[in-house]
Amino acid sequence: MTEKFIPLIDQRQQRSLSNIPAVLQEPSGLLSDAMGRPLHDLRISVTDRCNFRCVYCMPKEVFGKDYPYLPHASLLSFEEITRIAKIFAAHGVKKIRLTGGEPLLRKNIEDLIAMLASIRTTDGTPLDLTLTTNGSLLTKKAQTLKDAGLSRVTVSLDALNDVIFKRMNDVDFSVAEVLEGIQAAHAAGLGPVKVNMVVKAGMNDQEITSMARYFKDTPHILRFIEYMDVGASNGWQLDEVIPSAEVIRRIREAGMPLLPIDANYAGETAERWQHLDGKGEIGVISSVTQAFCRDCSRVRLSTEGQLYTCLFASTGHDLRHLLRNSEAISDFQIANVIASIWNVRSDRYSELRSQHTEGLHAERKKIEMSYIGG
Ligand code: SAM
Ligand code: SF4
Ligand code: SF4
């Protein structure tokens, strides 16, 4: 047996203070980074805490009882998040995804959703407001989330077999409760519900075909995610990744023929497939084997207000110090700071990783998924 070394490091300290540019410009809604990529999608982590201990995300060995979670005062308030979100909308963001940690653990999250739902895009339309959850609190909360203005949810579910699922979430949470949450979300009008399954070789890959069969004739969209080398806690190894092509092959081989279908929009992370009999769609997210950096229009805001221009970035840009500065800094100034960050963005970690995976993974210091959100 090979032993895995799980480093205990705190990447949250690495941040850069953002300066206000000397020459200020009105946001045009058409930001473009150094590689010509627009800014459309903002992911906001609302908590770094979670009630699961998924082995690929928050393994118990690292996220134990004494783990130093962020103190409440460090977290952006709902007013601060909404202020930042409005500025991003003026820059052309159309979609906001709330994530974490487990976003439904953040107290009164419905109030934040209602505040974000009042924001308008540069076209005058409401934002596409979504949330990714482990589903544990969804049965209880689906209707209030919908009433607050949430558009859709994505629910993570890594297996249908209870033994395997419990081994993955490591807190003895049952499949039935997540399925009930998915049902509740659908009934509340938060559909089509996307169901995310992270596939880890030797852990849950035997569940690929039963998951595909179970969700085939439902209105929910099942998406298989390649296990990624995010953070430094999960001891990621390349041989634990099942390539999406292999996922598709196994589903076809199990008697479920699939046809590729067009992307909904440029930059969509999932490659879409449809069952040949027209009953149901699945998606594959190939972050490891087929990098999609070229169209990446996503930016991430951490729980404490650090802005990350890539999931694999080691350093965040501190926006919170602008929000809490003793000299009042205007939205206009903050908008210009954000523009100056995006204009020089050249991140393309996954593409580079595809070229020399092991080396790049080993040499980078990366932040945890539970801190920055998926
Ligand atoms: N707790 C919520 C949940 O699990 O849906 C939201 C946060 S979670 C970090 C967001 C997504 O990231 C989940 O779908 C999760 O499965 C995925 N994820 C976490 N670690 C991952 C990894 N190492 N590789 C691929 N996906 C990962
Ligand atoms: Fe929690 Fe989501 Fe990470 Fe699982 S994937 S530990 S549910 S934050
Ligand atoms: Fe975007 Fe970075 Fe992921 Fe590439 S690696 S798709 S730039 S978040």
Side-chain angles (χ1 to χ4, degrees), residues 50-54 56-58 100-102 134 156 370:
C50 187
N51 52 346
F52 282 18
R53 284 291 172 277
C54 302
Y56 53 76
C57 180
M58 295 180 77
E102 175 46 46
N134 60 25
S156 303
S370 53

Side-chain angles (χ1 to χ4, degrees), residues 37 291-294 296-298 300 309-312 345 347-351 353:
R37 296 170 295 189
F292 34 76
C293 301
R294 204 174 339 117
C296 179
S297 57
R298 288 177 290 283
R300 293 174 162 87
T309 55
C310 177
L311 186 52
F312 299 91
R345 171 187 188 244
D347 305 279
R348 53 186 196 103
Y349 175 86
S350 288
E351 270 181 15
R353 182 221 295 108

Side-chain angles (χ1 to χ4, degrees), residues 58-344:
M58 295 180 77
K60 268 186 184 159
E61 304 89 318
V62 176
F63 295 87
K65 272 197 208 76
D66 301 327
Y67 185 80
Y69 292 102
L70 296 169
H72 191 73
S74 295
L75 272 51
L76 290 189
S77 67
F78 290 171
E79 288 72 22
E80 289 170 330
I81 292 175
T82 307
R83 184 175 172 204
I84 296 266
K86 266 188 196 150
I87 297 171
F88 272 103
H91 272 314
V93 161
K94 308 272 182 253
K95 180 172 171 182
I96 291 187
R97 174 175 297 281
L98 299 179
T99 177
E102 175 46 46
L104 297 186
L105 289 183
R106 179 82 187 249
K107 222 170 148 205
N108 302 325
I109 185 81
E110 299 82 359
D111 295 345
L112 173 64
I113 290 169
M115 289 159 81
L116 296 174
S118 68
I119 298 176
R120 292 294 170 265
T121 67
T122 47
D123 306 328
T125 54
L127 290 162
D128 185 17
L129 198 53
T130 67
L131 176 146
T132 303
T133 171
N134 60 25
S136 57
L137 297 168
L138 206 46
T139 305
K140 202 162 78 188
K141 288 192 169 247
Q143 193 59 55
T144 48
L145 293 171
K146 176 69 186 176
D147 295 344
L150 192 69
S151 318
R152 273 171 298 104
V153 288
T154 298
V155 182
S156 303
L157 177 64
D158 295 325
L160 280 178
N161 176 302
D162 237 11
V163 175
I164 299 174
F165 185 55
K166 287 180 178 179
R167 208 181 293 147
M168 288 197 87
N169 66 53
D170 217 7
V171 293
D172 213 31
F173 204 85
S174 73
V175 173
E177 288 176 81
V178 181
L179 292 177
E180 204 187 313
I182 292 173
Q183 214 32 55
H186 174 71
L190 290 170
V193 178
K194 288 179 183 157
V195 179
N196 277 357
M197 170 179 176
V198 174
V199 184
K200 188 172 177 205
M203 191 97 201
N204 67 338
D205 62 306
Q206 67 274 42
E207 288 287 284
I208 292 172
T209 49
S210 39
M211 286 281 284
R213 195 164 287 115
Y214 180 88
F215 286 103
K216 179 174 175 294
D217 297 323
T218 70
H220 321 310
I221 302 171
L222 174 63
R223 303 177 332 154
F224 298 92
I225 304 180
E226 287 178 353
Y227 172 43
M228 285 187 284
D229 51 331
V230 216
S233 305
N234 60 15
W236 182 89
Q237 291 180 351
L238 184 58
D239 60 7
E240 292 166 330
V241 178
I242 303 274
S244 295
E246 169 66 8
V247 169
I248 297 294
R249 194 194 63 74
R250 288 197 200 177
I251 296 173
R252 283 175 157 160
E253 201 177 79
M256 288 172 277
L258 295 167
L259 270 182
I261 49 176
D262 289 340
N264 286 311
Y265 54 90
E268 190 172 24
T269 48
E271 185 186 292
R272 302 171 67 212
W273 295 78
Q274 195 171 40
H275 288 282
L276 199 58
D277 60 8
K279 291 186 187 149
E281 176 181 330
I282 68 159
V284 287
I285 302 183
S286 319
S287 355
V288 178
T289 61
Q290 269 190 301
F292 34 76
C293 301
R294 204 174 339 117
D295 290 322
C296 179
S297 57
R298 288 177 290 283
V299 72
R300 293 174 162 87
L301 184 65
S302 81
T303 317
E304 51 176 348
Q306 306 298 310
L307 192 70
Y308 289 90
T309 55
C310 177
L311 186 52
F312 299 91
S314 359
T315 311
H317 304 269
D318 189 358
L319 296 187
R320 192 185 60 191
H321 93 277
L322 299 174
L323 299 170
R324 297 188 182 173
N325 204 293
S326 53
E327 290 168 37
I329 296 178
S330 69
D331 288 3
F332 186 42
Q333 288 172 310
I334 296 175
N336 276 271
V337 171
I338 291 170
S340 68
I341 294 168
W342 192 262
N343 285 336
V344 298

